[in-house]
Amino acid sequence: MKAWLKGTMAAAVGVWGLAAVAVQAEEMVRIGVAGPFSGAYAAFGEQQWRGAEAAIVDINRGGGILGKQILLIKGDDACEPKQAMAVANRLVDNDEVQAVVGHFCSSTTMPASEVYDEAGILVMTHGSTNPMVTERGLKTVLRMCGRDDQQGTVGAEFVVKRLGAKRVAVLHDKDTYGQGLADAMKAHLHTLGLTEVMYEGLTRGEKDFNALVTKIKAAKADAVYFGGLHSEAGPLVRQMREQGVDVPLVSGDGIVSEEFVTAAGGGRFVKNVYMTFGADPRKSPEGKALVARFREAGYEPEGYTLYAYAVVQSIAAAMQESGSYNGVELANWLKRHSVETVMGPKSWDAKGDLKVSDYVMYQWDENGKYAEVE
Amino acid sequence: MNSYVIGQQLVNGVVLGSIYGLIAVGYTMVYGIIGMINFAHGEIYMISAYLTAITLAVLTTWGVDSVFLALILTLISSIAFTALYGWTVERIAYRPLRRSTRLAPLISAIGMSLVLQNYVRLAQGSRNQGVPSLMEGNLRLVGENPEQFVQVTYVQLVIVLTALISMGILSWTIQKTALGRACRATQQDRVMAELLGVNTDRIISVVFVLGASMAAVAGVLVTVNYGSFDFHVGFVTGIKAFTAAVLGGIGSLPGAMLGGLILGLSESFFAGFVNSDYKDVFAFSILVLVLIFKPSGLLGRPAVEKV
């Protein structure tokens, strides 16, 4: 190819590319939604996307942010740290987002939030509960959910005081979230004067935990605590029941999905399973209309759906009120103000954690539904 | 340590080992005949899990309520479709590379594995899928204390029996039939077998089909046992079964079964009596040790220079 032709083409492509970016950047507020949209935890990604999408539709209908419409950009991290890094870099460099909703798994939020922090972009996670997410002193990281140390405390109190357990087996999935949760549980058990009879990790992606169940049985555990997600919790509880280990299984927000029932192989296996999760946002008066709208569209806004909605609301409120897209300014605004969300008013402390966290205990029944423990 | 706990871990290990063994057969046969590792084999097993769920759903709508009949029909349909997958994979991804370097079919196999995984994910979604439990109940050996028992569920019994029967049929086919003779001839010396009138391309296809059928059996049994699966189950199990094949001596059928059993038992006992955090570390350390001291695997024969 002749040199002049090459040059002309490059220039043409360059100008065209620039123009496209400039027009879009001016017209729309770009918000990234990063989470597990594929992989074993895609159910949580779907909750996140449904929530965020509904929020965008509502805000855009109400005139957008500072007169601009919002555009959502999806980033699939499959709950894998290395993919999360790639997604984070893409959202920052190519998509030039102004804020990020996500990620979901703590193991992906932690590395990805460093990328956003460096680029000065606000990131608010709807579901990463590991304490280290906000403990690292990053300036632009906030969350819409509680922390595992709070969750573990509620879990431990419940196991000891309500269930009256004396011999507790603590299991986890060796992941940032799962082990963090199990550690928090263990620590609070110790403060309650109880030592666990077992503390072990299983392997994510496996389905056979029979050896571990036999060990639980031999240890005569009268309650099992599991830090991890539904795809391992399901087979675990089923194999417990099949080996005749009928003690309660207590877990955290990693199993708050109907898929837990599928993974366990049916409702009758999930009886006597408990989990900690924030007070059901579907019951809050602020979200009533929204929940009804979701149900009308044939979608049950379970788990983290409304959390994602509230995250978008908070980001939008911060941008609207502070008139800025700078991550640090947005984070500082949020840390000083309270936001009205579908889950009620929310406010944050200096670390970026919610000032009030509302973990309560839920119980699964034999129909595969969960309800708050009275 | 109580004897009933040891007995229970033995049961756990044998069941797990039978499954690893069944899948390992596919790796070992393909390696035996064309000297390549079929990394898409774990995916074949995963596809069988989906076929099981689909067949069971169809049978339910037809009103089949005999568990035995349902199991047999599911096995037949799963083997049929999975064998078709095995044949197609060989035809598309490996046969065109038959005369290329050794590396090419290996890469192609990894690619095939990713293709199958993502194809199933797109077609079936990435959610967990479940099947209802077909068989309830178990056999219990109760000791003096009723709290202490060794338990074998009926499903676990079916797993071990089916594994034994399928391995029996396979060994018989390889050792006693004309087809098996052709397989063994091709394994020994493909060029010579071809000169003597064996259609080696067809034999290689047959080996892929046989390997896939064993993976199909494993897929059905595992699905019925654990009740849930997703598009990703082929990966971990595939790697474990591959390890079992190498441990037993890749290329050797009894080796695959032995390797599976050793792997299953070592995982169960290590998880049960030491620490499940490190059970894979332990299992793979055994593999490394075996390979250091007997590079051809436990029952493998050292490669002989053909003259």
Side-chain angles (χ1 to χ4, degrees), chain B residues 78-96:
Chain B
S78 188
I79 288 174
F81 281 100
T82 311
L84 202 63
Y85 269 99
W87 183 81
T88 316
V89 163
E90 196 273 329
R91 213 42 204 269
I92 293 175
Y94 309 140
R95 187 175 293 186

Side-chain angles (χ1 to χ4, degrees), chain A residues 37-43 46 76 78 80 171-172 174 179 199-215 217-218 220 230-231 234-235 238-239 241-244 257-260 262-266 268-269 299 302, chain B residues 2 4-5 8-9 12 15-16 19-20 121 126-134 136 138 140 147-149 151 153 156 222-233 236-237 240 267-280:
Chain A
F37 298 112
S38 69
Y41 310 107
E46 190 183 345
D76 177 15
E80 284 169 12
L171 308 177
H172 58 83
K174 298 188 235 177
Q179 192 164 5
Y199 177 78
E200 269 179 47
L202 46 79
T203 308
R204 258 165 81 166
E206 286 196 342
K207 293 274 178 233
D208 189 293
F209 308 121
N210 273 311
L212 200 57
V213 170
T214 303
K215 195 174 181 182
K217 199 168 143 187
K220 298 193 174 62
H230 58 76
S231 33
R238 179 184 175 129
Q239 287 159 39
R241 300 306 183 236
E242 281 178 343
Q243 282 200 35
S257 160
E258 277 167 10
E259 277 209 46
F260 169 58
T262 313
R268 64 206 176 81
F269 289 110
Y299 177 76
E302 60 165 354
Chain B
N2 294 306
Y4 79 96
V5 181
Q8 188 66 57
Q9 293 296 11
N12 297 340
V15 173
L16 194 58
I19 291 162
Y20 287 159
R121 173 198 279 183
S126 44
R127 297 182 153 234
N128 281 284
Q129 311 282 336
V131 296
S133 35
L134 289 181
E136 298 288 318
N138 49 54
R140 279 186 183 177
E147 292 277 292
Q148 303 186 348
F149 53 81
Q151 158 186 303
T153 62
Q156 286 174 325
V222 164
T223 309
V224 172
N225 190 21
Y226 302 130
S228 77
F229 55 91
D230 54 52
F231 70 93
H232 205 248
V233 288
V236 177
T237 319
K240 291 278 175 68
E267 275 191 19
S268 285
F269 276 91
F270 195 82
F273 296 114
V274 190
N275 189 331
S276 75
D277 289 350
Y278 291 94
K279 81 175 160 67
D280 291 346

Side-chain angles (χ1 to χ4, degrees), chain A residues 266-271 364-369:
Chain A
R268 64 206 176 81
F269 289 110
V270 303
K271 207 180 150 193
W364 288 85
D365 64 18
E366 63 271 20
N367 301 318
K369 301 275 175 243

Side-chain angles (χ1 to χ4, degrees), chain A residues 125 164 177 202:
Chain A
T125 170
Y177 160 73
L202 46 79

Side-chain angles (χ1 to χ4, degrees), chain B residues 37-71:
Chain B
I37 309 293
N38 176 16
F39 276 114
H41 190 59
E43 268 35 82
I44 298 284
Y45 151 81
M46 176 271 293
I47 285 173
S48 167
Y50 276 87
L51 287 168
T52 306
I54 294 168
T55 314
L56 283 176
V58 171
L59 290 178
T60 316
T61 57
W62 285 354
V64 177
D65 50 5
S66 150
V67 168
F68 181 73
L69 192 65
L71 205 58

Side-chain angles (χ1 to χ4, degrees), chain B:
Chain B
M1 199 178 298
N2 294 306
S3 56
Y4 79 96
V5 181
I6 298 177
Q8 188 66 57
Q9 293 296 11
L10 201 65
V11 171
N12 297 340
V14 168
V15 173
L16 194 58
S18 308
I19 291 162
Y20 287 159
L22 272 177
I23 306 171
V25 165
Y27 286 102
T28 237
M29 285 178 74
V30 166
Y31 184 84
I33 207 147
I34 51 173
M36 72 163 273
I37 309 293
N38 176 16
F39 276 114
H41 190 59
E43 268 35 82
I44 298 284
Y45 151 81
M46 176 271 293
I47 285 173
S48 167
Y50 276 87
L51 287 168
T52 306
I54 294 168
T55 314
L56 283 176
V58 171
L59 290 178
T60 316
T61 57
W62 285 354
V64 177
D65 50 5
S66 150
V67 168
F68 181 73
L69 192 65
L71 205 58
I72 294 288
L73 288 176
T74 310
L75 272 174
I76 291 172
S77 109
S78 188
I79 288 174
F81 281 100
T82 311
L84 202 63
Y85 269 99
W87 183 81
T88 316
V89 163
E90 196 273 329
R91 213 42 204 269
I92 293 175
Y94 309 140
R95 187 175 293 186
L97 299 171
R98 193 63 50 76
R99 317 227 175 274
S100 58
T101 59
R102 281 171 74 91
L103 204 54
L106 191 76
I107 304 294
S108 176
I110 295 171
M112 204 65 213
S113 158
L114 291 173
V115 166
L116 288 176
Q117 215 181 90
N118 286 286
Y119 150 67
V120 172
R121 173 198 279 183
L122 288 172
Q124 301 289 334
S126 44
R127 297 182 153 234
N128 281 284
Q129 311 282 336
V131 296
S133 35
L134 289 181
M135 268 175 281
E136 298 288 318
N138 49 54
L139 294 174
R140 279 186 183 177
L141 298 169
V142 182
E144 284 148 31
N145 182 343
E147 292 277 292
Q148 303 186 348
F149 53 81
V150 178
Q151 158 186 303
V152 189
T153 62
Y154 293 142
V155 181
Q156 286 174 325
L157 271 183
V158 169
I159 288 180
V160 176
L161 284 179
T162 315
L164 281 176
I165 294 169
S166 340
M167 290 300 290
I169 295 175
L170 188 67
S171 303
W172 178 80
T173 313
I174 299 291
Q175 295 301 328
K176 302 284 181 202
T177 64
L179 183 71
R181 198 156 55 238
C183 286
R184 281 180 289 139
T186 312
Q187 172 163 7
Q188 262 179 15
D189 191 333
R190 197 190 326 155
V191 178
M192 197 61 205
E194 192 138 28
L195 287 175
L196 293 175
V198 175
N199 184 347
T200 52
D201 269 345
R202 196 176 71 91
I203 293 301
I204 292 170
S205 285
V206 166
V207 164
F208 269 87
V209 165
L210 287 176
S213 309
M214 290 294 127
V217 174
V220 173
L221 298 175
V222 164
T223 309
V224 172
N225 190 21
Y226 302 130
S228 77
F229 55 91
D230 54 52
F231 70 93
H232 205 248
V233 288
F235 182 71
V236 177
T237 319
I239 293 286
K240 291 278 175 68
F242 168 59
T243 311
V246 175
L247 188 65
I250 194 150
S252 149
L253 273 189
M257 213 57 203
L258 179 72
L261 275 180
I262 292 177
L263 196 67
L265 285 171
S266 63
E267 275 191 19
S268 285
F269 276 91
F270 195 82
F273 296 114
V274 190
N275 189 331
S276 75
D277 289 350
Y278 291 94
K279 81 175 160 67
D280 291 346
V281 176
F282 176 71
F284 282 85
S285 306
I286 292 184
L287 176 72
V288 171
L289 285 178
V290 167
L291 289 181
I292 289 173
F293 292 108
K294 198 166 182 315
S296 53
L298 290 172
L299 297 185
R301 274 163 301 187
V304 184
E305 200 62 39
K306 283 162 191 158
V307 277

Side-chain angles (χ1 to χ4, degrees), chain A residues 123-142:
Chain A
V123 53
M124 187 185 281
T125 170
H126 59 299
S128 292
T129 46
N130 191 289
M132 289 308 289
V133 168
T134 49
E135 287 290 337
R136 292 165 303 161
L138 299 180
K139 288 192 187 71
T140 64
V141 182
L142 289 95

Side-chain angles (χ1 to χ4, degrees), chain A residues 98 119-122 139-140 142 324-332:
Chain A
Q98 272 119 4
I121 292 170
L122 176 73
K139 288 192 187 71
T140 64
L142 289 95
S324 162
Y325 298 114
N326 179 301
V328 181
E329 280 174 37
L330 290 174
N332 286 340

